[in-house]
Amino acid sequence: MKNISQKNIIWGIIILLPIALYFYFLSEYAINIPKWDDHALKAFIVEFQNADGLVAKIQSIFKQHNEHRIAFDRFFTLIVFYLHGTIEYRWLMWIGNFTLIGILFIFFRVFKKTNLPIAYFAPIPLIFFQLQLWENTFWGMAAIQNFGVVFFILGLIYLVSSAKKSHFYLAILFAFFATYTSGNGITAFPICIVLLLLQKRFRESIIFGLISAILIFLYFFHYQMPPSNPPMNGIGIGKIALGFLSFLGSAFDLLPYSSGRIKLTILFGTFLFILSGIIAIYLIFNSKLINQRRELSQIELFILGTLMFLIGTGIVVTYTRISFGEIGLLTSRYKIYSILLTVTLYLSIVSKLNLTRFSWLTFPIVGIAILFNFITNFINFKEVVNLRNQLMSFSYNWALDTSVPIDKNGLKLYESPRLPLDNYLNQFKKSVKISPIWHEKITKSVNANGVFIQNSTFISNVNKTNSVNIIVQSSTKTYLMPTQLTNYPVPAFIRTGKYWQNGFVSDLNYNEFENDKYYLGLVVQEGKNMKAYYLNDSLIVNKNNQKVKTNW
């Protein structure tokens, strides 16, 4: 008993370590600066405050945002606003990321029913809690929406898979939350009806179907079609199929600098898809509805429902996003689905095999999971640092632009954090041409969308406060644009002990600037020291201004 207890403590530590590391990154690199759709939460607060009566306030919570109704986001934004006095986007990030704990808890509840040793659960948090999720992790609104909806959908599938009557009523509540967290919440409804039919729970399937119909009707009541995606001209079925497989295998996007990046994800995606198909067909044909002598366990029903949800999501996302390009399907905010597909298939396999006699297998399995966790964190850590630099540049540019309002209708909606370059912003309004000339080599390439700037020699002391920004200055406007840093691949890191490569790159998109002639400079900030340089170069922006259409 003592040996068993000591082993469980060790496995418990291994289970908790990736979770602790993940939330360490969140605590260290999250910053209270809104990104893109985060600004819609400011508009919501204003609308809610100005709404006349309870009905109008409720309508503002359930109002459409793009193709979604993000009531879950707005509800917690209200709580944060009233508790903190302003919108604190880091609080929203923490709330969204805590739903990942909820997802892990659901998988743990399913795993417990396998009666396997706790060691076999250890790979799940190692695969799940890692920085491939970075885009949602460090984005307040997206963390709550994109992580939250997955939590509610998996919780819904788990509850419907249970024969307990109380779980069915709780499932209805989860269905409501899934619907009004993100648009893909309603995709779980037909899956749950199928799971109920496979259990021959006809009465519950009818009730759930009626409630689903009501929720869908309310969701699309006064619905407005959002702006469409780029046309799919020239995109054939073969390209869509390969994009779908790449989406499914995006958890194995482990070659970011290689020409074989997409091929690797397609290879893994094909394997995961075939394995998912085999398992799903096996479970369907062994269900109570088809095989009278067989009844699926809650584990099997949960696995089947989760596979249906993840594969279905892959089909929908691929079809609606393939027009943005194949690389777009590997974006961080979608990778949670491929990661969960990997976790679900692992759980399916270990629950079917009698592994208690092969305890030695835990060591290579957990070893592979640890290696996967290390590699994914290693590859994506640079994205966390680059995102932080991008968000800080957003804040600098709002401060430099006097036309940006600080508040609306007397409400203080947001308070910017103190940033390293705040004390120098007035200096950047002076002509950049009086600064010393930068003598290290800079290459500049012009394309249809803007200018790409690259340096390969500068050595930066990288941490979460130091930064390198491009100064873009006209006679009336000054912008501080972020640069991106690049890390060495794993083999080079092992060989040299260095994570960051020398140099930086910056993509200056014409859409970021008003039409004018701009002079280019560079600002290097390390600790309390700041130095500005003139790049002895200019940029001419002459574009057709196109307003981005939104419904918020």
Side-chain angles (χ1 to χ4, degrees):
M1 289 296 295
K2 186 178 179 181
N3 289 336
I4 292 173
S5 178
Q6 288 176 343
K7 287 180 180 179
N8 286 343
I9 290 172
I10 293 170
W11 289 119
I13 292 171
I14 293 173
I15 288 168
L16 291 175
L17 272 177
I19 303 171
L21 181 61
Y22 178 86
F23 282 101
Y24 167 79
F25 284 126
L26 178 61
S27 66
E28 285 294 301
Y29 290 91
I31 190 167
N32 182 33
I33 299 175
K35 176 185 176 184
W36 301 342
D37 289 24
D38 278 337
H39 293 284
L41 297 177
K42 298 181 191 176
F44 158 68
I45 292 293
V46 173
E47 184 177 355
F48 183 86
Q49 293 289 90
N50 294 334
D52 187 15
L54 180 62
V55 173
K57 289 184 182 294
I58 292 174
Q59 286 176 339
S60 69
I61 294 175
F62 289 90
K63 182 181 177 182
Q64 186 180 344
H65 174 87
N66 294 333
E67 66 267 37
H68 310 287
R69 296 193 187 272
I70 54 170
F72 194 58
D73 256 297
R74 289 170 176 152
F75 174 75
F76 278 106
T77 300
L78 274 178
I79 292 176
V80 169
F81 179 76
Y82 286 125
L83 289 177
H84 190 265
T86 59
I87 302 175
E88 230 294 358
Y89 290 96
R90 288 176 301 179
W91 289 21
L92 300 182
M93 295 175 206
W94 278 93
I95 293 167
N97 280 280
F98 273 136
T99 62
L100 297 181
I101 300 290
I103 294 172
L104 185 67
F105 178 71
I106 292 169
F107 275 98
F108 181 70
R109 294 275 298 183
V110 176
F111 176 82
K112 277 184 67 177
K113 298 179 186 298
T114 66
N115 294 319
L116 286 169
I118 191 65
Y120 285 102
F121 183 74
I124 293 179
L126 285 164
I127 295 170
F128 190 42
F129 283 90
Q130 36 94 358
L131 291 180
Q132 280 187 321
L133 306 174
W134 64 268
E135 190 172 3
N136 288 323
T137 304
F138 298 93
W139 184 354
M141 178 183 156
I144 294 178
Q145 179 185 348
N146 295 336
F147 291 159
V149 72
V150 173
F151 166 67
F152 286 122
I153 289 175
L154 293 184
L156 175 57
I157 292 170
Y158 173 81
L159 293 168
V160 165
S161 302
S162 169
K164 292 182 180 179
K165 188 172 290 187
S166 59
H167 282 185
F168 177 74
Y169 296 125
L170 190 57
I172 293 171
L173 183 63
F174 269 64
F176 173 83
F177 286 131
T179 304
Y180 291 105
T181 299
S182 187
N184 61 328
I186 60 178
T187 61
F189 295 169
I191 295 170
C192 291
I193 292 172
V194 169
L195 294 179
L196 289 169
L197 290 173
L198 290 177
Q199 299 172 75
K200 285 193 171 183
R201 296 167 65 185
F202 300 121
R203 179 175 171 273
E204 287 95 334
S205 65
I206 293 171
I207 294 172
F208 191 87
L210 291 173
I211 292 171
S212 299
I214 293 170
L215 288 173
I216 292 171
F217 171 78
L218 293 174
Y219 185 89
F220 287 103
F221 188 68
H222 287 169
Y223 185 86
Q224 295 179 349
M225 286 298 294
S228 59
N229 295 332
M232 295 181 63
N233 299 335
I235 300 178
I237 188 67
K239 192 171 185 179
I240 294 173
L242 291 176
F244 167 70
L245 295 173
S246 180
F247 175 90
L248 294 185
S250 60
F252 299 91
D253 180 20
L254 306 177
L255 300 174
Y257 309 116
S258 170
S259 58
R261 176 186 181 185
I262 293 179
K263 291 179 182 177
L264 181 66
T265 59
I266 291 173
L267 178 65
F268 274 97
T270 302
F271 172 73
L272 296 178
F273 179 63
I274 292 173
L275 188 57
S276 299
I278 292 171
I279 292 171
I281 291 170
Y282 169 81
L283 292 175
I284 289 171
F285 278 93
N286 281 276
S287 67
K288 192 175 181 180
L289 185 67
I290 297 174
N291 187 346
Q292 299 294 332
R293 294 171 296 177
R294 178 81 155 80
E295 187 171 345
L296 295 181
S297 66
Q298 187 179 5
I299 301 172
E300 293 172 320
L301 288 166
F302 174 79
I303 288 169
L304 176 60
T306 303
L307 291 178
M308 292 167 67
F309 162 63
L310 297 172
I311 298 297
T313 299
I315 294 171
V316 172
V317 172
T318 302
Y319 183 77
T320 57
R321 295 291 186 261
I322 188 69
S323 55
F324 290 102
E326 300 96 322
I327 292 295
L329 296 172
L330 301 181
T331 190
S332 166
R333 65 181 177 272
Y334 299 142
K335 286 184 177 177
I336 186 171
Y337 298 104
S338 177
I339 293 167
L340 286 174
L341 182 60
T342 305
V343 167
T344 304
L345 290 172
Y346 166 77
L347 181 60
S348 175
I349 292 169
V350 297
S351 67
K352 275 293 173 188
L353 301 178
N354 184 12
L355 298 177
T356 52
R357 292 178 298 171
F358 305 99
S359 57
W360 59 269
L361 272 176
T362 57
F363 297 102
I365 291 172
V366 172
I368 292 170
I370 291 172
L371 181 63
F372 177 82
N373 185 272
F374 168 77
I375 292 174
T376 51
N377 282 332
F378 182 94
I379 291 172
N380 291 280
F381 176 66
K382 73 174 185 301
E383 305 291 356
V384 175
V385 173
N386 288 334
L387 173 63
R388 186 181 172 90
N389 289 340
Q390 181 190 36
L391 293 175
M392 287 195 294
S393 74
F394 287 170
S395 186
Y396 294 141
N397 290 329
W398 298 330
L400 288 167
D401 186 356
T402 55
S403 66
V404 176
I406 298 175
D407 55 41
K408 296 182 179 181
N409 295 359
L411 285 174
K412 187 176 183 182
L413 301 171
Y414 163 72
E415 185 173 1
S416 176
R418 292 292 300 169
L419 300 175
L421 291 179
D422 282 348
N423 293 332
Y424 302 100
L425 292 181
N426 286 331
Q427 296 184 32
F428 298 131
K429 295 179 181 179
K430 299 176 183 178
S431 175
V432 69
K433 292 190 289 183
I434 66 174
S435 300
I437 293 179
W438 176 265
H439 291 293
E440 290 191 39
K441 184 179 180 181
I442 292 274
T443 58
K444 186 180 82 169
S445 56
V446 180
N447 55 58
N449 298 318
V451 173
F452 185 76
I453 292 175
Q454 185 172 15
N455 167 272
S456 58
T457 58
F458 178 71
I459 302 174
S460 174
N461 180 22
V462 180
N463 61 36
K464 66 178 183 179
T465 58
N466 295 349
S467 63
V468 177
N469 292 80
I470 304 294
I471 302 172
V472 183
Q473 187 182 75
S474 70
S475 58
T476 58
K477 291 272 190 180
T478 298
Y479 301 89
L480 292 182
M481 305 307 294
T483 60
Q484 290 81 46
L485 305 174
T486 305
N487 64 290
Y488 281 107
V490 173
F493 168 73
I494 295 172
R495 192 170 59 252
T496 64
K498 294 181 180 180
Y499 181 80
W500 296 106
Q501 293 189 35
N502 292 346
F504 53 82
V505 299
S506 185
D507 194 0
L508 304 180
N509 192 301
Y510 291 142
N511 291 326
E512 300 282 349
F513 315 108
E514 296 178 1
N515 289 342
D516 210 333
K517 180 176 181 179
Y518 295 89
Y519 295 96
L520 302 180
L522 189 76
V523 56
V524 179
Q525 179 269 319
E526 292 186 348
K528 295 181 179 180
N529 299 319
M530 185 279 295
K531 293 182 180 179
Y533 301 90
Y534 177 42
L535 294 182
N536 199 22
D537 206 344
S538 62
L539 168 70
I540 296 176
V541 178
N542 184 18
K543 65 181 191 304
N544 295 322
N545 292 319
Q546 293 183 341
K547 184 176 175 61
V548 178
K549 295 180 181 179
T550 67
N551 55 13
W552 45 270

